[in-house]
Coordinates of all heavy atoms in Angstrom, one line a residue:
F16 N 12.5 5.3 -2.2 CA 11.9 6.1 -1.1 C 11.2 5.1 -0.1 O 11.4 5.2 1.1 CB 11.0 7.1 -1.6 CG 10.3 7.9 -0.5 CD1 10.9 8.8 0.3 CD2 9.0 7.6 -0.3 CE1 10.4 9.5 1.2 CE2 8.4 8.4 0.8 CZ 9.1 9.3 1.5
G33 N -0.4 3.6 17.9 CA -0.3 3.1 16.5 C -1.2 3.5 15.4 O -1.3 3.0 14.5
F42 N -4.7 9.2 3.6 CA -4.0 9.9 2.5 C -4.4 9.4 1.1 O -4.7 10.1 0.2 CB -2.5 9.8 2.7 CG -2.0 10.4 3.9 CD1 -1.0 9.7 4.5 CD2 -2.6 11.4 4.6 CE1 -0.3 10.3 5.7 CE2 -2.0 12.0 5.7 CZ -1.0 11.4 6.2
L44 N -7.2 7.8 0.4 CA -8.6 8.1 0.3 C -8.9 9.4 -0.3 O -9.6 9.7 -1.2 CB -9.4 7.8 1.5 CG -10.9 7.9 1.4 CD1 -11.4 6.7 0.6 CD2 -11.5 7.7 2.9
S48 N -10.2 10.2 -4.0 CA -11.4 10.9 -4.1 C -11.2 12.2 -5.1 O -12.1 12.5 -5.8 CB -12.0 11.4 -2.7 OG -11.2 12.3 -2.1
L51 N -11.0 10.8 -8.6 CA -12.3 10.4 -9.1 C -13.0 11.7 -9.4 O -13.8 11.6 -10.5 CB -13.0 9.5 -8.2 CG -12.6 8.1 -8.1 CD1 -13.3 7.3 -7.0 CD2 -12.9 7.4 -9.4
P58 N -13.7 16.9 -19.6 CA -14.6 17.5 -20.7 C -14.5 16.4 -21.9 O -13.4 15.8 -22.2 CB -13.7 18.8 -21.1 CG -12.4 18.8 -20.4 CD -12.5 17.7 -19.2
P65 N -16.0 0.6 -14.7 CA -15.6 -0.6 -15.5 C -16.7 -1.7 -15.3 O -17.5 -1.6 -14.3 CB -14.3 -0.9 -15.0 CG -13.8 0.3 -14.2 CD -15.0 1.0 -13.7
W68 N -17.1 -7.5 -13.5 CA -16.1 -8.5 -13.5 C -14.7 -8.0 -13.5 O -13.9 -8.5 -12.8 CB -16.2 -9.6 -14.8 CG -15.9 -8.9 -16.1 CD1 -16.8 -8.4 -16.9 CD2 -14.5 -9.0 -16.7 NE1 -16.1 -7.9 -18.0 CE2 -14.8 -8.3 -18.0 CE3 -13.4 -9.5 -16.4 CZ2 -13.8 -8.2 -18.9 CZ3 -12.4 -9.2 -17.3 CH2 -12.5 -8.6 -18.5
L76 N -7.2 -9.1 -6.8 CA -5.7 -8.8 -6.9 C -5.3 -7.9 -5.7 O -4.2 -8.1 -5.1 CB -5.3 -8.2 -8.3 CG -5.2 -9.0 -9.4 CD1 -5.0 -8.2 -10.7 CD2 -4.1 -10.0 -9.3
E94 N 13.8 -4.4 24.4 CA 14.2 -4.4 25.7 C 13.7 -3.1 26.4 O 13.4 -3.2 27.6 CB 15.8 -4.4 25.8 CG 16.4 -5.6 25.3 CD 16.7 -5.4 23.7 OE1 16.9 -4.3 23.3 OE2 16.5 -6.4 23.1
Y108 N 12.0 -6.9 -1.6 CA 11.8 -7.8 -2.8 C 10.3 -7.9 -3.1 O 9.8 -7.8 -4.1 CB 12.4 -9.1 -2.6 CG 13.9 -9.1 -2.4 CD1 14.4 -9.6 -1.1 CD2 14.8 -8.5 -3.4 CE1 15.8 -9.6 -1.0 CE2 16.1 -8.5 -3.0 CZ 16.6 -8.9 -1.8 OH 18.0 -8.8 -1.6
I116 N 4.7 -6.1 -10.9 CA 3.5 -6.8 -11.3 C 2.4 -5.7 -11.7 O 1.8 -5.8 -12.8 CB 2.9 -7.7 -10.2 CG1 3.8 -8.9 -10.0 CG2 1.5 -8.2 -10.5 CD1 3.6 -9.7 -8.9
S129 N -9.2 5.2 -20.6 CA -8.5 5.7 -19.5 C -9.2 5.8 -18.3 O -8.7 5.6 -17.2 CB -8.0 7.1 -20.0 OG -9.1 8.0 -20.2
L135 N -9.8 1.1 -12.2 CA -9.3 -0.3 -11.7 C -8.0 -0.2 -10.9 O -7.8 -0.9 -9.9 CB -9.2 -1.1 -12.9 CG -10.5 -1.5 -13.7 CD1 -10.1 -2.3 -15.0 CD2 -11.2 -2.5 -12.8
T138 N -8.8 1.1 -7.4 CA -9.5 0.0 -6.6 C -8.5 -1.0 -6.1 O -8.6 -1.3 -5.0 CB -10.6 -0.7 -7.6 OG1 -11.5 0.2 -8.1 CG2 -11.3 -1.7 -6.8
F141 N -6.2 0.7 -3.5 CA -6.9 1.1 -2.3 C -7.2 -0.3 -1.5 O -7.0 -0.3 -0.2 CB -8.2 1.7 -2.6 CG -9.1 2.2 -1.4 CD1 -8.6 3.2 -0.6 CD2 -10.2 1.5 -0.9 CE1 -9.2 3.6 0.6 CE2 -10.8 1.8 0.2 CZ -10.4 2.9 1.0
Y163 N 1.3 -5.2 27.3 CA 0.7 -4.4 28.3 C 0.3 -5.3 29.5 O 0.5 -5.1 30.6 CB -0.4 -3.7 27.9 CG -1.0 -2.8 29.1 CD1 -0.5 -1.7 29.6 CD2 -2.4 -3.2 29.5 CE1 -1.0 -0.9 30.5 CE2 -2.9 -2.5 30.6 CZ -2.2 -1.3 31.1 OH -2.8 -0.6 32.1
A165 N 1.4 -8.4 30.0 CA 2.7 -9.0 30.6 C 3.3 -8.0 31.5 O 3.9 -8.5 32.6 CB 3.6 -9.4 29.4
A167 N 1.9 -5.6 33.2 CA 0.9 -5.4 34.3 C 0.9 -6.6 35.3 O 0.7 -6.4 36.5 CB -0.5 -5.1 33.9

Side-chain angles (χ1 to χ4, degrees):
F16 177 73
F42 300 146
L44 189 60
S48 64
L51 279 175
W68 66 272
L76 284 172
E94 304 81 37
Y108 303 118
I116 290 169
S129 62
L135 291 173
T138 301
F141 183 73
Y163 178 75

